[in-house]
Amino acid sequence: MRLVPVVLDPGRAEGGLVTEGFRVLVNDAQGEGTHTFAPGQPVQAIEFSVALNGSSVYRYPFDRYEASLVVLAADGTGTVGDPLLTELSVTSSVIAFDVAAARVPQDACPFGTCATLDAARPATTVGYTIWFMVLAWGLALAGLAVLYQ
């Protein structure tokens, strides 16, 4: 996943550079979930992975996956700091999947911004795969019919 922090507080960043340090915490499946933006650094994208739950690739093209996304932000660059308000806007650039996101209600996720992600194959992929399977079985059966005549 790629998270692009957009600083909405005009006093926290100027000209793309951080003026007051802050931290962004994400539920990274690889372990390192804290990303610190120190004063003077540019605001840049954060790359991380989330764990996919659900189906298996062996169910192609009918495989579906779910993931949970948690984003927290805190003031300062140390271990202490006041929480900052966060908002999420999720878009997908993955061609192989249709990805939909739904925000988790604030009462179910009181400590930050949470979202659930659902990924499924596009209908065109499913249709093409089924068409190709029918074609392959048709050719196989036609070859058997020719062989045994």
Side-chain angles (χ1 to χ4, degrees), residues 11-149:
R12 192 162 297 278
E14 185 177 316
L17 296 177
V18 175
T19 56
E20 290 183 39
F22 65 96
R23 295 181 319 275
V24 176
L25 295 87
V26 294
N27 60 327
D28 193 342
Q30 296 177 349
E32 181 57 44
T34 304
H35 303 275
T36 302
F37 292 91
Q41 280 188 327
V43 178
Q44 56 191 356
I46 299 168
E47 300 275 342
F48 65 100
S49 302
V50 293
L52 296 176
N53 300 316
S55 192
S56 168
V57 72
Y58 296 117
R59 295 202 54 221
Y60 176 85
F62 304 107
D63 50 341
R64 302 179 73 87
Y65 303 97
E66 297 102 28
S68 296
L69 178 62
V70 179
V71 178
L72 306 167
D75 196 15
T77 58
T79 57
V80 296
D82 295 329
L84 297 174
L85 180 66
T86 56
E87 276 187 36
L88 281 180
S89 174
V90 179
T91 59
S92 172
S93 62
V94 179
I95 297 172
F97 287 97
D98 285 335
V99 180
R103 186 179 171 132
V104 174
Q106 190 68 29
D107 59 341
C109 180
F111 48 83
T113 303
C114 302
T116 57
L117 305 173
D118 295 316
R121 301 279 178 183
T124 54
T125 302
V126 175
Y128 175 77
T129 303
I130 292 173
W131 172 82
F132 186 77
M133 290 169 66
V134 169
L135 176 67
W137 276 101
L139 288 174
L141 293 175
L144 283 174
V146 168
L147 182 67
Y148 287 110
Q149 287 224 8

